[in-house]
Amino acid sequence: MNSLIDTTTPLNTQLFHTRSVNGLVCGSQMIAATATVKGESWGFVSDSFITTMSKVWLLVLVVVCHGIFSNGVVTNSSTRPDVVHVGAILSYKSIIGKVAKVAIEAAVEDVNSDPTVLPGTKINLTMQDSNYSGFLGILEALKFMEKDTVAIIGPQQSVTAHIISHIANELQVPLLSYSATDPTLSSLQFPFFVRTAQSDLYQMAAIADLVDYYGWREVIAIYVDDDHGRNGIAALGDKLAEKRCKISYKAPMSPLPTRDEITDLLIKVALMESRIVVLHTYAGPGPVVLKVAQYLGMMGTGYVWIATNWLTTILDTNAPLDSDATDDFQGVITLRMYAPDSELKRKFVSRWSNLTSGKSTNASFGLSTYGLYAYDTVWLLAHAIDAFFNQGGIISFSNDSRLTELHGGSLNLDAMSIFNGGNLLLQNILQVNMTGVTGPIKFTSDRNFIYPAFEVINVIGTGIRRIGYWSNYSGLSVLPPEMLYAKPPNRSSASQRLYDVIWPGQTTERPRGWIFPNNGRHLKIGVPKRVSYREFVSQVEGTDLFKGYCIDVFTAALNLLPYAVPYKLFAFGDGINNPSSTELVHLITTGVYDAAIGDIAIITNRTKIVDFTQPYVESGLVVVAPVSRLNSNAWAFLRPFTPMMWGVTAIFFLIVGAVVWILEHRINDEFRGPPKKQVVTVLWFSLSTLFFSHKENTVSTLGRLVLIIWLFVVLIINSSYTASLTSILTVQKLSSSVKGIESLINSKDPIGYQQNSYARNYLVEELGIHESRLVPLNMPEDYAKALKEGPGGGGVAAVVDERAYVDLFLSTRCEFSIVGQEFTKAGWGFAFPRDSPLAIDMSTAILRLSENGDLERIHDKWLKRSACTSQSTTYELDRLQLNSFWGLFLICGLACLLALIVYFILMVRQFSRHYSDDFESSGRNSGSKSFQTFLTFVDEKEEEVKNRSKRKQMEKVSNRSVGEESTNRSTRRYTESCSSKSLDRCEEA
């Protein structure tokens, strides 16, 4: 008997670790059966028989329970349970909770009365009131875990959802929240948390698109300092960054702030530059913030308030609001989760007044979108549970071994059980594909609803006005999103459109979005304290005032702005040397200055740290060098060509003359005669082609081809020479040993530059000029002295500086001039911090100054040139060189070469034809003799060669005739002699 007890005890212990909601507990049955076998006493039965029967009964019970137990889990696939327990956690008295409570109860009633969903099974809903408390919400969730709850609808707040999701992960009970919209409630960290509404990630994307649509760049964020507020604003910052916008100031507040705390916070906001305020909070403190803002004058013209969907929740739930309540909301833009119009939605909305009657001690309340999503959440869960049962799922629970170790105490943690079918139910929830009152319901791979969309609402009067829609598919549009899903997505700026908005202050003009801070502080603007070229900018001695061309442009641009700009100018520099503009710009990034004006060049390394306005001066780097006036002399006609060009031209005259002589010599009498005459003919012919006055006719085809090409070359050279010579003799010329930046790079001479100018870095880093060659110069007088002394006298060969300075320097110094071309393109602008809206407005003002002529008038006032620089002078930088004509010479040379080759081949063929018989008859073929004969042949006139050839042919013919006649006479004599003799002798002979 002891052995039987030892055998059954472990099995019973294992079986009691599981429980079934169907009431089948095989463990208790087995214990009862065992007890019966052990407790019966039959006197006529032996102990061995009793032992044997006990084992048989045990085996039967194990077989019977095999269909019920599987790996410690109770199964019963033949029938569904009559009741499925579902929990719900919400705040009954909250503006979201009271609507959701009615919607959830209505949904449960509709599901239980629909035989097509969960046939034979009812949803038993248990609601718990968290009463605005996250702590109570956690406790209510723990209570649900002690019961046979398969899923929990809720929690209502994101803060509570973060904590309860850990419990749901451990016990594998899905959480379905219709209002916890925190985007950080991710499926990776909380796999059993399912959001059944739109994530705040998409709401923040919609706000970012609104900010970008209206051309704003900075916003202020006011938010509750909890998971819901912080994480939502973090998502907003990311979405704004994608649009090259940003949150300039974050103003957190407690979830339950007092009016004084809100007032202090809004006073800080009012001192900021941006006037675009995003209010991300709850329905409780939100209206208080707007009421205090109204009291502080922050709901007037110039402000923009963008509220998240808490405001539409208030407006939908408490509609209609009285005028006193809506006065604080005037001009505010808010969002509402979009639910497309459908028959299901219209039916549910029509039932709402009946559903809410008697639910509240006050008047009936309206239906918000949270109510619609709460209603669909119940239906979504019902479809998932139905699919769960269809797949053979059973509702069973197991004790958590880790919680069992914590048994004891009053918390009863070991009473909470793991839902064994939790993973299967979760997968069915995520695979639901249905249509609810909010439209199509289907989850994406990241567990968000498909087709996220919002309505863009403008609060006007005592009501609201929809000005458009936002969807993740096509952005902002005045068309409902479902009309755009059939078209290709289009997020171009041209396709984004909204209706007009009534902004705070009852204006339809789009607010600029920023003003200068109302904190009594002026803009600190840095101005370089120059010691040279003070016409551009200089400080008035003994005062804080500045004057100059740059100052006048800045002042004129400010006067065109539609608002006042309080500012104060501060000198930057020691007054001994010209300050570095790069250092001045860098001080903007450190906050020392709010802007910088003056002769500040817009170059790459500066644009990386600040924003510049539109350039108001075009100024690149140029080379200044000493120049001398070129006077006409007796040899001026040689200036158009370089010596190399003269030499090559003369050589080609001779070459072409020689080639034409070779081609014409054998067939043209004008190219024949004594050697002296032929040399004169070649020279005369070649030189006369310069004037197209040659009298010798060309007879050969090759000669004519060469001559045509050469005459074309002569035409181009003649025209270029005439034009250049005319310019030399009629236009004043200046000459310089420096031809431009290239000649400076190739030389070793010292180069001057303006001290603290960006020209130094450019010459060293970009052009590779060694630092030892660079000489810093400060004043215009230093420029002139160094240039006059030259490299040999301790000066410089040239000075590299910006065009604006050089033009002013040359206005009174005619002995120097710009040589070469401007080798960089740059301009001067005013510097502001990155993303400063003032930079954009100032750029627009500068463009207006340029268009209306004021910019030119300011230029003439300060930088009017003297007569020296206004003279029409040019510089002898380049003479006509061979590089400009080598193509023509190449064509001519190839033509001559080709003609000579063809001519040589023809001569060889003729020579072979005329002299082959002579070489065969002589029997010897000496190389030198053949070459001499060939030269003689080439020198002969072609007509003589042909005549001689004809005579030779006639002689051959005559010789052949004489030979034949002698042969015939011999034959006749022989025949006659034979006739006089005997026949036999002739035959023998």
Side-chain angles (χ1 to χ4, degrees), residues 1-10 38 51 54-55 58:
M1 296 297 292
N2 293 336
S3 63
L4 178 61
I5 295 175
D6 293 339
T7 303
T8 58
T9 298
K38 292 166 64 178
T51 302
S54 298
K55 293 181 179 179
L58 178 61

Side-chain angles (χ1 to χ4, degrees), residues 213-227:
Y213 174 76
Y214 289 110
W216 302 316
R217 285 293 170 262
E218 295 183 3
V219 303
I220 295 174
I222 301 177
Y223 59 97
V224 288
D225 194 14
D226 60 8
D227 291 335

Side-chain angles (χ1 to χ4, degrees), residues 11 64 155 162 322 326 405 463 525 659 675 808 833:
L11 179 62
V64 171
H162 274 277
D322 56 36
T326 58
E405 297 174 358
I525 300 178
V659 170
L808 196 59

Side-chain angles (χ1 to χ4, degrees), residues 181-184 199-212 217-223 227-251 276-281 306-308 335:
T181 55
D182 180 359
T184 63
S199 170
D200 273 347
L201 179 68
Y202 299 112
Q203 182 171 210
M204 298 307 169
I207 294 176
D209 280 351
L210 281 171
V211 172
D212 182 62
R217 285 293 170 262
E218 295 183 3
V219 303
I220 295 174
I222 301 177
Y223 59 97
D227 291 335
H228 171 72
R230 286 192 302 270
N231 297 331
I233 293 303
L236 175 62
D238 294 339
K239 293 300 180 180
L240 286 172
E242 294 176 5
K243 306 292 183 181
R244 298 191 65 183
C245 305
K246 67 177 182 179
I247 301 175
S248 60
Y249 181 71
K250 294 181 179 180
I276 314 299
V277 183
V278 177
L279 183 56
H280 183 50
T281 179
I306 303 176
T308 50
L335 300 174

